[in-house]
Amino acid sequence: MNLQHWADALKSHWGITADLRRLDGEYDLNFMATGPDGTGYILKAMRPDCEAWLVEMQVQAFQHIASNTPDLPCPRVIPSSSGAAMLSLRDENGANRLCWILECLPGQCYAKVSPKSLALIHEVGAVLGGAGKALADFQHPGLERDFKWDLMRAGWIGAEIDSITDPKRQSLIREINTVFTKLEPVLAGLPKQAIHNDANDYNIMVTGELTQPRRVSGLIDLGDMCAAPRICDLAIAAAYIVLDHAAPEGALAALVAGYHSAYPLTPQEVDLIYPLLRARLAVSVVNSTLMALENPDDPYVTISQAPAWRFLETHDLHPGLLGARLRAACDMPVVEGADRVMTWLQAERGNFAPLMGEDLSEAPMGSLSVESSTWPQNPFHMPLEEAARVGEEFEDQGRIWLGYYHEPRLIYAEPAFRKGPYKASNRRTVHLAVDAFAPDFTPMFAPLDGEVFVVENRTGHLDYGGVIILRHETPAGDPFYTLYGHLDPECCDRLSPGDKIAKGAEFCRLGDHSMNGGWAPHVHFQLALTTEGIEADWPGVGDPDEMYMWRAICPNPAALLNLPDDKCHYTPTNKDEIRQGRQDHFGGNLSLTYSDPVMLVRGWKHHLFDEWGRPYLDAYNNVPHVGHAHPRIQAVAADQLKRMNSNTRYLHPAQTAFADKILSKMPDHLQVCFFVNSGTEANELALRLARAHTGAKGMVTPDHGYHGNTTGAIAVSAYKFNKPGGVGKADWVELVEVADDYRGSFIRDDPDRAQKFADLVDPAIKALQERGQGIAGFIAETFPSVGGQIIPPKGYLPAVYEKIRAAGGICIADEVQTGLGRLGDYYFGFEHQGASPDIVVMGKPIGNGHPLGVLVTTREIAESFNNGIEFFSTFGGSTLSCRMGKEVLDIVDDEGLQENARSMGADLIAGLKALETKHACVGDIRGMGLFLGLELINADGSEATQICSYVKNRMRDHRILIGSEGPKDNILKIRPPLTIDAEGVEMILASLDSVLSEVVLP
Ligand SMILES: Cc1ncc(COP(=O)(O)O)c(C=O)c1O
């Protein structure tokens, strides 16, 4: 291939100087041409015998789009110096080729983009719709083509079905073809226009890497254009979008909504999408099968059809329900007449017979929402005893009270409501009905004439018990349905499908908990505008992320209760308003995690829930040491608050009990406790003790450390004072390099690295002495956490302590992050080091969320501090705090949480090490127990801050909360409550694996 020949052609005919690279293409010559300023072009030199009309059609179509819709992302045809869009040029063999140039679009093809977010898919739809709209008036004789990729002619596969030998596959394709054949007349009745006809994932270009938003940069390759109904264009794109997508229905909805936003569709067209999508996939697999027969030795033919088979064989989506979903995504009535039903219901509000036999307009509402209610205590398990009492707080002598429509609730706790394998998988939480709670056996009356559609007794755990679905019709003949759940199943003996029920007739009654699925007596009253795909088994709650569909299929039934919609409609607290409130009321340096922050309103063990009831696996928060909402912690707090809560100026056994418990975990020489409110306060106090004991002020501390937010604590926190805008280093402080044997001065293959790091303390001591500060002490997070989850080499701390003590100082171990069993093998980090600190500081986990800090020291140091001035911290050592702190330590012991940290930590580390070998961006895995760090690196080994931010945000999309840390913020910090279980470990590893696969190092 003579690249120079084509470079010369480019220069002489287009005036473009560029470097050329050959691209794929069997007969046509395609070149990537890059100009000196980086501008890219695609030079296309068509095969000598190419169909000139086809090239001309494409060129004109690109030009048409560009002039019709200049803003649409689409490549431009670059005219030659003479203004021609195409030229006939000789190739190096003397043959004439039609040549043309397209602007090269930035980015990569959609096939290579991961993740394929719904926002991106929506944009793909919008760009395809925009192109369709732009091409609506494009004319070219070549558009009327007779070829196999015209979806209108997909029926050709009918004659080739026998080529598929597998009988199951054969009957699948036959069924798709039969459906398609029935649709042919419908398709024939739709207007035709020029369409792209091949928006597959290699023909859609996408820009944006990692943290940048991904945007469609254009559609390429108009080589399959033809005239057909525009819906064929969308169905073809849809056929590729669904392949291997974890949630194809949602992806389809996003694509169709995007298309509709640019080029509005009709409901009839929307209904065609799914059968046409299947027809297109059937055409693909039949075509590949025929090609495989022709080229039996080409494995690619079989491989390429695998995703299409996978989709066809594993996804039997209900066309009616999917149609309703797609219509809902486009804001259309979910079925023909649904809008008329709603208009009629609104008009008839007030005229329906009272369901409960009385006017409900004054009936109180009771919220069971995830925000307002604590039912059930364990959001992953609803015991029958609790179910039978749900809402008892609203009980008022048998008076009817109502439960909200559209309310996210955690009472649907069983695995059946989960949509994935993990407790933190998506889950259906949002109530699609209104409840009326009333005494058992309260009779109910039909709000309007109806016919029994379903009457059943569903005896499953927390199911409906007796349930009736009635079918109704508006006077105009539009059908709709109402469901009554949790009934006395006696109705099953009286009623049968087809029975007529007159408006106002008593037709059923509430069951008691022994017969209604186990619940406090109430009726679940739900409206549905279609039963397509849900038939007799309606979901009573929906996934919050799918409410665009469920609100449309099962709207608020308030009108049928003669109530205003607003009364019964629940809206969770608006996260954006809270965010705005924070901005209005708080300082700007109160930071929020995640580009799209989470609002968390409930927790249980190592899971948290947002205002929609979406669960998150908490792999980040170390404060809820024994788990969120621990019942023993709740009980202790409630019990003590019922009694009294006072301070250390009075005697109380809780104070000494707590001290005894802490000291039982300490080396013998540490005998005196100080109770304060926070880790900060404990460290501040530690500085005072050090000064009082030594008479000196100078402190040595590792770089990038954090010890708290007060003036003194900040002064020993390089992580803060050395930040841009920080106060800088005080003259009584000296920093030493963190003993990081991955990235620091002495690395893991150096057996003397612990001593070498410790030796760095010598010049620091000397500098302080020379400045006349003396040596008050050394303070360090035993395992530096904000410094990057670092485990110093064994022996480092004893070596440092020896030097500090020789210089007259004392040694402070900040165990706020590492203490209380988190490390698994050790209760405190200093045990791992074989170090013997003079002061140990504890915070965060020791109160499990209650503000509590503890300092423990030697009798001698405590005596030096006891200089006649009272030490008093009003809330430090309060009765409540002491009981909480002791309860936390007891729970760690009673529930074997240190051992759990050890074994879960070991599994996590093993899994993370496997990820390290698999993903190039993982530089290091370190940690101990449930104190873990995963260092992310760029291709050159440097700190990958961007990647880390990306992974952290994507893990949140996978419903896992983790943090990031380190001087360059490139270390993922995994630090869950100690309750984490094997399932949680598996979820972290599987999700991390998937997210890390999205990171491609250059
Ligand atoms: C090691 C360490 N020490 C002290 C503190 C300060 O604790 P608090 O925020 O409870 O004052 C922290 C807080 O992050 C910490 O990580």
Side-chain angles (χ1 to χ4, degrees), residues 91-367:
D91 66 16
E92 59 266 56
N93 302 322
N96 271 335
R97 287 176 180 257
L98 260 185
C99 298
W100 53 301
I101 297 187
L102 271 176
E103 137 191 65
C104 176
L105 295 178
Q108 55 185 337
C109 62
Y110 177 85
K112 298 201 172 130
V113 173
S114 177
K116 296 174 168 56
S117 71
L118 294 184
L120 176 62
I121 294 174
H122 188 278
E123 193 173 311
V124 169
V127 170
L128 187 67
K133 194 172 173 189
L135 288 170
D137 59 351
F138 177 71
Q139 302 291 344
H140 193 281
L143 289 170
E144 291 298 337
R145 303 165 74 173
D146 182 5
F147 77 150
K148 64 186 175 186
W149 299 115
D150 176 356
L151 197 46
M152 291 184 80
R153 300 172 204 244
W156 67 262
I157 60 172
E160 306 289 350
I161 291 179
D162 289 345
S163 63
I164 295 169
T165 46
D166 180 309
K168 272 203 191 133
R169 288 185 164 183
Q170 199 184 84
S171 71
L172 177 62
I173 299 302
R174 185 157 286 127
E175 180 251 320
I176 294 173
N177 190 45
T178 308
V179 174
F180 176 79
T181 313
K182 288 198 194 118
L183 292 180
E184 273 176 318
V186 184
L187 274 181
L190 292 175
K192 297 209 299 182
Q193 66 153 78
I195 62 168
H196 181 289
N197 202 38
D198 192 21
N200 72 55
D201 32 6
Y202 288 88
N203 286 342
I204 302 162
M205 300 298 289
V206 176
T207 54
E209 301 276 327
L210 285 181
T211 44
Q212 302 156 350
R214 293 214 156 95
R215 305 297 310 262
V216 175
S217 58
L219 284 175
I220 56 172
D221 194 353
L222 294 177
D224 277 352
M225 277 180 78
C226 69
R230 60 181 178 164
I231 203 63
C232 294
D233 213 14
L234 179 53
I236 290 166
Y240 291 99
I241 291 284
V242 293
L243 296 185
D244 291 331
H245 199 289
E249 297 106 312
L252 272 178
L255 180 80
V256 174
Y259 190 99
H260 182 69
S261 69
Y263 195 17
L265 297 161
T266 65
Q268 186 196 26
E269 288 175 305
V270 171
D271 292 348
L272 287 170
I273 293 170
Y274 187 54
L276 286 179
L277 172 167
R278 296 183 93 215
R280 168 63 182 221
L281 290 179
V283 167
S284 289
V285 294
V286 171
N287 185 58
S288 308
T289 306
L290 295 175
M291 279 169 64
L293 290 174
E294 276 174 35
N295 311 290
D297 300 329
D298 183 354
Y300 178 74
V301 179
T302 317
I303 294 168
S304 66
Q305 57 174 281
W309 278 122
R310 245 192 322 271
F311 180 82
L312 291 175
E313 290 177 325
T314 57
H315 289 94
D316 189 14
L317 308 181
H318 190 286
L321 185 56
L322 185 67
R325 178 194 287 271
L326 299 183
R327 281 167 167 241
C330 298
D331 235 350
M332 295 171 181
V334 285
V335 282
E336 166 64 19
D339 48 345
R340 293 191 295 267
V341 171
M342 287 313 286
T343 309
W344 183 77
L345 290 177
Q346 302 308 329
E348 288 299 304
R349 194 193 309 262
N351 296 333
F352 295 105
L355 172 68
M356 307 302 291
E358 61 180 85
D359 176 13
L360 295 176
S361 49
E362 297 302 318
M365 302 299 303
S367 175

Side-chain angles (χ1 to χ4, degrees), residues 678-681 683 706-709 781 814 816-817 844:
S678 65
T680 301
E681 198 187 341
N683 279 321
Y706 181 65
H707 299 285
N709 61 48
E781 299 166 66
D814 182 337
V816 168
Q817 294 281 340
K844 290 187 189 272

